[in-house]
Amino acid sequence: MSSPAVIAKATGLRDTIARGDAGLAILRAQLMPVMVAILSERLGGLVRQLTAVEFAQMVADDLDELRLLGFDLPRSAGQYIAEWVRLGILIRDNSGRDETVELSASAQVVIRFVAGLDTHGRSVTRSRLANVADLLAKLARDTDAHKEGRLAALRAEQDEISRQITQVEEGQYSPIDTDEALERLAEVLRLASEIPGDFAQVSSDLRAINAGLREKIIDSGGSRGDVLDAVFAGVDLIDTSEAGRSFGAFNALLADRQRSEAFEDSIGQVLSRDFAIPLDDREKTFLADFMPALENESAHVRATMTGFSRSLRSFVQTRAYEEHRVLRDSLARTQAESLKAARQVKLTTRLGYSLPSTSVGLASLGTWRLYNPADVRTAEPVVAQHLGTLDIEALRARVR
């Protein structure tokens, strides 16, 4: 008997592959090691977004170094970046003053997985099991609707804390050993390294919501007032979406200054302990910059949400959606007429008509020349022309 889970998983993966998932494009790439190394280093850590110019320079420097080591990299940095954008691995954002690039959510997941294959870290099975046990205990306590069960769980936790306090007061307590401390810290670093990917997923969800709302506006057949009532009926649909609500809850937690200060204080204490001395500079920097990086990412996502809301509102209020409706209707009519014609005219039939296609001329910035107004300055003296009397009848005759 087949399992419904197998069928659902196989169907979902088939649809993902059919869509041309960016993560799968990375796994299929011939230069996957180079791609993963560059993207994980430049955009896979706490720095999740860079300006296009800065990122292109970094990629160019990395390619030069890799070529010296024998890697066959015949294309330029700009060509590789353009290919990554086309595959959906990189997302370009032109909404701000400078164009920026960042990894797509799917690319974040795959790059983190592939980069982790090369990591031979300490086993964290015990630490993970302890985390799971603690989370389950808190979940069972906080979801208990009965007063007796909740009080029993809280009192048991209180008794355990009292026991530990008594041991410390009597001098019977000693810190955990270095191996266990490093094990717990490794688990903390692993969990913390996944948070930038969560930001990427939220941004991806917000883009999908924004695109879906625009399609809904275009497809709706009502007037401008009806569209405004449906989309902006006193609520901001982007803020109240699932992605918006989850980010809002995270942002509220991050905005709690008391909790944030306690978090930063804990990081400072951990880095000052003797067991943290073996950590490399990269791991120490990651922990030290963790909270500022989260605040920057939070501000970026908030700006993205605000930008989507404003552009969506402008899309309706300026009646730009009506132009898209006209284009949609024209395409639909063209497709319908094409289907009718296909029943009578074969695809190989020559129609004797050439359809000119539009194109954009591409040229390097090095070929551009600055505009000099002096080049078109008139060298000859300007001759004044004396005006005559206007003949209204002669003007009418010329107009006719």
Side-chain angles (χ1 to χ4, degrees):
M1 182 177 180
S2 62
S3 170
V6 172
I7 297 174
K9 178 63 72 175
T11 304
L13 291 175
R14 182 187 62 186
D15 295 341
T16 299
I17 294 174
R19 289 196 305 268
D21 185 75
L24 295 177
I26 295 176
L27 295 176
R28 294 170 179 163
Q30 183 178 4
L31 295 176
M32 183 188 68
V34 172
M35 186 187 303
V36 171
I38 292 177
L39 295 178
S40 64
E41 176 66 22
R42 300 305 185 184
L43 296 172
L46 290 180
V47 177
R48 196 176 60 85
Q49 187 181 74
L50 290 170
T51 64
V53 175
E54 183 181 7
F55 178 68
Q57 184 59 54
M58 290 179 176
V59 173
D61 294 341
D62 292 335
L63 293 177
D64 290 341
E65 291 294 331
L66 290 170
R67 290 188 184 103
L68 294 177
L69 296 176
F71 284 87
D72 184 17
L73 302 168
R75 303 167 71 180
S76 66
Q79 290 173 325
Y80 283 119
I81 293 173
E83 178 71 7
W84 298 342
V85 172
R86 185 185 66 81
L87 294 173
I89 297 171
L90 289 178
I91 298 175
R92 276 180 170 165
D93 186 2
N94 299 313
S95 59
R97 183 179 60 182
D98 298 322
E99 182 183 35
T100 60
V101 293
E102 61 182 278
L103 287 172
S104 65
S106 178
Q108 279 270 13
V109 174
V110 171
I111 287 175
R112 186 165 60 243
F113 165 74
V114 176
L117 296 176
D118 190 42
T119 303
H120 306 287
R122 183 183 303 274
S123 174
V124 291
T125 303
R126 178 175 53 179
S127 180
R128 291 187 183 181
L129 180 59
N131 286 338
V132 171
D134 291 342
L135 289 173
L136 282 175
K138 291 180 180 179
L139 181 62
R141 181 197 66 192
D142 295 340
T143 56
D144 192 348
H146 298 90
K147 177 181 177 180
E148 295 77 8
R150 190 175 182 86
L151 282 174
L154 290 172
R155 283 169 179 157
E157 186 176 346
Q158 185 181 41
D159 292 341
E160 175 61 21
I161 293 175
S162 299
R163 185 185 66 80
Q164 294 183 20
I165 291 175
T166 302
Q167 286 182 340
V168 173
E169 290 176 343
E170 295 176 354
Q172 299 177 359
Y173 175 81
S174 59
I176 60 175
D177 57 43
T178 301
D179 289 339
E180 185 176 354
L182 288 174
E183 182 180 297
R184 292 188 186 182
L185 183 57
E187 180 67 3
V188 169
L189 290 171
R190 184 190 68 82
L191 292 174
S193 65
E194 295 179 357
I195 292 181
D198 296 338
F199 279 109
Q201 185 62 53
V202 170
S203 297
S204 176
D205 292 343
L206 291 175
R207 290 189 185 94
I209 292 169
N210 181 56
L213 288 175
R214 288 175 179 267
E215 291 180 4
K216 180 180 178 181
I217 293 171
I218 295 171
D219 293 337
S220 62
S223 63
R224 176 172 175 267
D226 296 334
V227 173
L228 282 171
D229 291 339
V231 180
F232 305 110
V235 296
D236 189 334
L237 295 182
I238 292 180
D239 280 336
T240 57
S241 65
E242 183 178 355
R245 290 195 305 269
S246 63
F247 171 74
F250 174 85
N251 194 50
L253 187 65
L254 195 64
D256 187 342
R257 296 311 308 170
Q258 183 176 0
R259 190 185 295 266
S260 298
E261 290 173 1
F263 188 87
E264 291 180 336
D265 184 60
S266 298
I267 291 177
Q269 292 185 37
V270 167
L271 292 177
S272 66
R273 301 285 190 261
D274 292 339
F275 77 87
I277 294 178
L279 293 178
D280 56 36
D281 293 338
R282 179 175 183 143
E283 292 172 327
K284 293 178 180 178
T285 302
F286 178 86
L287 283 175
D289 296 342
F290 188 66
M291 282 302 294
L294 289 186
E295 292 172 353
N296 290 336
E297 289 293 339
S298 179
H300 171 66
V301 174
R302 172 57 64 183
T304 300
M305 293 176 65
T306 303
F308 283 158
S309 299
R310 290 176 177 172
S311 65
L312 199 63
R313 196 170 287 114
S314 175
F315 184 65
V316 176
Q317 293 174 341
T318 60
R319 295 184 178 272
Y321 67 95
E322 294 180 349
E323 299 178 4
H324 290 75
R325 282 183 181 175
V326 172
L327 179 60
R328 177 204 60 187
D329 295 339
S330 298
L331 290 174
R333 286 194 301 269
T334 302
Q335 290 176 345
E337 295 297 329
S338 299
L339 290 175
K340 291 180 182 179
R343 299 188 184 100
Q344 302 176 2
V345 183
K346 295 182 180 180
L347 294 177
T348 56
T349 302
R350 292 185 177 273
L351 301 178
Y353 178 76
S354 178
L355 180 64
S357 59
T358 59
S359 62
V360 178
L362 300 178
S364 171
L365 290 176
T367 63
W368 290 16
R369 294 171 55 190
L370 293 176
Y371 172 72
N372 184 6
D375 294 339
V376 294
R377 185 175 298 167
T378 303
E380 299 178 358
V382 178
V383 179
Q385 297 290 342
H386 299 286
L387 298 177
T389 304
L390 177 64
D391 188 346
I392 190 64
E393 295 301 328
L395 180 61
R396 285 198 185 99
R398 294 188 63 179
V399 170
R400 290 195 184 97

